[in-house]
């Protein structure tokens, strides 16, 4: 997630494919951190960078500059080796690079009106996608080699999203998600689900990618708010959570799989739930939505991920009684905050601040 405003000291934040590490860039350079320990793993202070993408926990980075000098051009992609401190390969474009995504097989470059698909090993260009003007470089990517999808906006006037199969190199589907243009999209790591939010920011929708059908809708709030980030848990099943951060300074957790399983266990606590069909109740039940207000300063851009989810099972069966999630938040004013979110089998939740530190002053 890049920052187009100079009002923040942080230009760019991104987590790697399994959220075990993250990159942060400023006007002075970029840093690589270990998510679980907060340890500064690598630092390079050679000027401003607008994009720094990791490939798992390897020494390979995809970096794009944010400076005036040719070496930091926003039109040049550099594949950089942190072990040797040298550039391995470079790709140059006519317009600014707005987003980069990669896994072990594919490299995706998003420009304003084109998206390029490369073989990550040979850098041979495999396909070019003509897109609608994508001024913010909005995109989502599922790094799984078995279900590797890319999602980009399909309209500038409404919230339609194009889903593209990156491994098989063809368009998979187009989803009409919202009436208003898209503000945030994310794919689950296994490529099963896509979540979307519009510029209104009141409704978040989740779709099954294989069938392009809506699975869940969540109401974040009544009043419009900018959704800064969306992130699924890393589980291969949809039994964990989806998190969102908004301009109101709130951290939102949506837990559809867990809450629905508990209701199917036989009880519902609401009068509405006893009247409505189950399929409708799954959309409307507020038990699926948990909010931590004032999780970070209102108006400050942020990015959150589910770093880890621990399921708590009954001792005599495999039934999930609760889960505990570690949710990492990075704010563009330079802070790392991690909360522990816990939910029990009655859908009662608690939040605990686990750790917080300043990323800009962190030293190895």
């Amino acid at each position: 997630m890049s920052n187009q405003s100079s009002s923040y000291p942080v230009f760019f934040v991104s987590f790697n494919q399994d959220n075990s590490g993250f990159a942060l860039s400023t006007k002075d350079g970029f840093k690589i951190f270990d998510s679980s320990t907060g340890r500064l793993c690598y630092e390079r202070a050679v000027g401003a960078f607008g994009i720094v993408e990791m490939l798992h926990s390897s020494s390979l980075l995809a970096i794009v500059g944010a400076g005036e000098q040719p070496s930091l051009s926003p039109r040049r992609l550099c594949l950089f080796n942190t072990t040797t401190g040298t550039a391995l390969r470079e790709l140059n474009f006519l317009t600014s690079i707005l987003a980069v995504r990669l896994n072990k097989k594919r490299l995706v470059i998003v420009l304003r009106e084109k998206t390029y698909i490369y073989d990550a090993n040979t850098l041979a260009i495999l396909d070019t996608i003509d897109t609608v003007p994508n001024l913010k470089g909005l995109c989502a990517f599922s790094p799984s080699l078995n279900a590797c999808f890319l999602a980009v906006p399909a309209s500038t006037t409404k919230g339609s999203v194009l889903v593209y199969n990156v491994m098989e190199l063809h368009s998979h589907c187009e989803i009409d998600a919202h009436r208003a243009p898209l503000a945030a999209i994310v794919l689950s790591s296994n490529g099963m689900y896509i979540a979307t939010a519009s510029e209104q920011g009141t409704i978040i929708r989740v779709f099954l990618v294989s069938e392009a059908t809506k699975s869940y809708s969540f109401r974040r709030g009544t009043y419009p708010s900018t959704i800064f980030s969306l992130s699924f848990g890393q589980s291969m099943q949809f039994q964990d959570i989806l998190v969102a951060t908004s301009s109101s300074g709130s951290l939102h957790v949506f837990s559809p799989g867990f809450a629905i399983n508990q209701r199917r266990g036989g009880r519902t606590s609401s009068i509405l739930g006893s009247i409505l069909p189950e399929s409708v109740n799954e959309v409307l039940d507020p038990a699926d939505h948990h909010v931590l207000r004032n999780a970070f300063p209102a108006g400050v851009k942020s990015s959150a991920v589910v770093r880890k989810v621990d399921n708590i099972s009954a001792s005599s069966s495999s039934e999930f009684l609760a889960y505990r999630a570690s949710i990492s938040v990075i704010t563009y004013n330079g802070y790392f905050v991690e909360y522990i979110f816990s939910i029990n089998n009655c859908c009662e939740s608690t939040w605990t601040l686990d750790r917080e530190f300043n990323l800009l002053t962190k030293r190895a």
Side-chain angles (χ1 to χ4, degrees):
M1 179 183 292
S2 62
N3 170 32
Q4 302 299 322
S5 171
S6 60
S7 61
Y8 299 122
V10 174
F11 285 8
F12 179 85
V13 168
S14 71
F15 286 82
N16 66 355
Q17 289 79 2
D18 62 2
N19 298 336
S20 62
F22 63 90
L24 172 147
S25 71
T26 67
K27 64 180 179 61
D28 299 317
F30 64 85
K31 300 179 179 183
I32 306 296
F33 292 87
D34 182 286
S35 298
S36 60
T37 64
R39 180 175 64 90
L40 177 60
C41 303
Y42 184 83
E43 181 175 12
R44 187 170 178 84
V46 292
F49 286 86
I51 296 174
V52 183
E53 292 287 348
M54 304 172 64
L55 179 61
H56 298 281
S57 297
S58 73
S59 60
L60 180 67
L61 300 178
I63 57 177
V64 178
E68 298 296 331
Q69 57 269 53
S71 61
L72 295 175
S73 169
R75 297 180 298 276
R76 174 181 295 176
L77 171 80
C78 174
L79 296 180
F80 184 80
N81 187 323
T82 58
T83 301
T84 61
T86 58
L88 301 176
R89 294 284 298 275
E90 290 184 349
L91 293 172
N92 292 283
F93 300 88
L94 296 177
T95 60
S96 294
I97 300 168
L98 301 179
V100 176
R101 298 290 186 269
L102 71 161
N103 62 16
K104 293 180 180 179
K105 296 289 187 179
R106 294 289 185 263
L107 171 67
V108 178
I109 312 294
V110 178
L111 308 184
R112 175 174 171 168
E113 295 183 354
K114 289 184 182 295
T115 295
Y116 296 96
I117 313 296
Y118 290 86
D119 183 296
N121 295 294
T122 66
L123 290 191
I125 188 165
L126 302 176
D127 200 4
T128 302
I129 308 169
D130 292 318
T131 65
V132 300
N134 186 5
L135 303 182
K136 297 180 181 179
L138 190 62
C139 68
F141 184 71
S142 57
S144 169
L145 297 181
N146 296 322
C148 185
F149 294 103
L150 170 73
V152 293
S155 172
T156 58
T157 59
K158 63 179 182 177
S160 297
V161 57
L162 170 68
V163 181
Y164 178 90
N165 189 314
V166 180
M167 296 305 295
E168 298 178 9
L169 303 174
H170 64 79
S171 177
H172 175 72
C173 66
E174 187 171 320
I175 299 172
D176 291 327
H178 303 271
R179 294 179 181 178
L182 294 170
I185 50 178
V186 68
L187 283 154
S188 60
S189 61
N190 58 10
M192 287 182 61
Y193 289 91
I194 183 171
T196 63
S198 76
E199 292 178 351
Q200 287 289 103
T202 54
I203 298 291
I204 293 172
R205 294 194 168 102
V206 178
F207 298 83
L208 182 65
V209 172
S210 61
E211 300 176 10
T213 54
K214 184 171 65 177
S215 297
Y216 304 98
S217 291
F218 304 109
R219 180 169 289 280
R220 179 212 54 81
T222 304
Y223 298 102
S225 181
T226 301
I227 302 298
F228 287 139
S229 70
L230 292 170
S231 177
F232 283 105
Q234 290 288 311
S235 171
M236 291 302 290
Q237 299 175 340
F238 194 56
Q239 298 298 320
D240 47 2
I241 56 179
L242 170 69
V243 301
T245 59
S246 69
S247 57
S248 65
S250 297
L251 178 60
H252 301 263
V253 168
F254 305 97
S255 54
F258 184 80
I260 289 168
N261 279 349
Q262 298 309 315
R263 289 202 296 276
R264 286 175 177 167
R267 294 193 304 272
T268 177
S269 59
S270 67
I271 296 175
L272 185 63
S274 66
I275 297 173
L276 291 174
E278 183 177 286
S279 60
V280 178
N281 191 31
E282 289 176 4
V283 174
L284 300 179
D285 196 326
D288 298 348
H289 182 199
H290 310 267
V291 185
L292 177 63
R293 305 193 187 283
N294 301 314
F296 46 88
V300 175
K301 194 173 181 180
S302 58
S303 180
V305 299
V306 184
R307 187 176 63 81
K308 183 176 66 170
V309 177
D310 296 317
N311 290 309
I312 303 172
S313 303
S315 57
S316 58
S317 70
S318 60
E319 179 185 1
F320 293 140
L321 292 183
Y323 69 70
R324 182 173 52 249
S326 300
I327 302 174
S328 303
V329 183
I330 298 176
T331 61
Y332 277 67
N333 60 354
Y335 284 87
F336 176 97
V337 185
E338 186 161 277
Y339 294 98
I340 304 300
F341 171 80
S342 301
I343 185 170
N344 62 21
N345 61 343
C346 296
C347 292
E348 298 168 335
S349 61
T350 59
W351 297 86
T352 306
L353 176 61
D354 186 50
R355 54 193 172 125
E356 180 179 12
F357 54 87
N358 189 323
L359 294 166
L360 302 178
T361 59
K362 193 82 169 177
R363 294 290 180 261

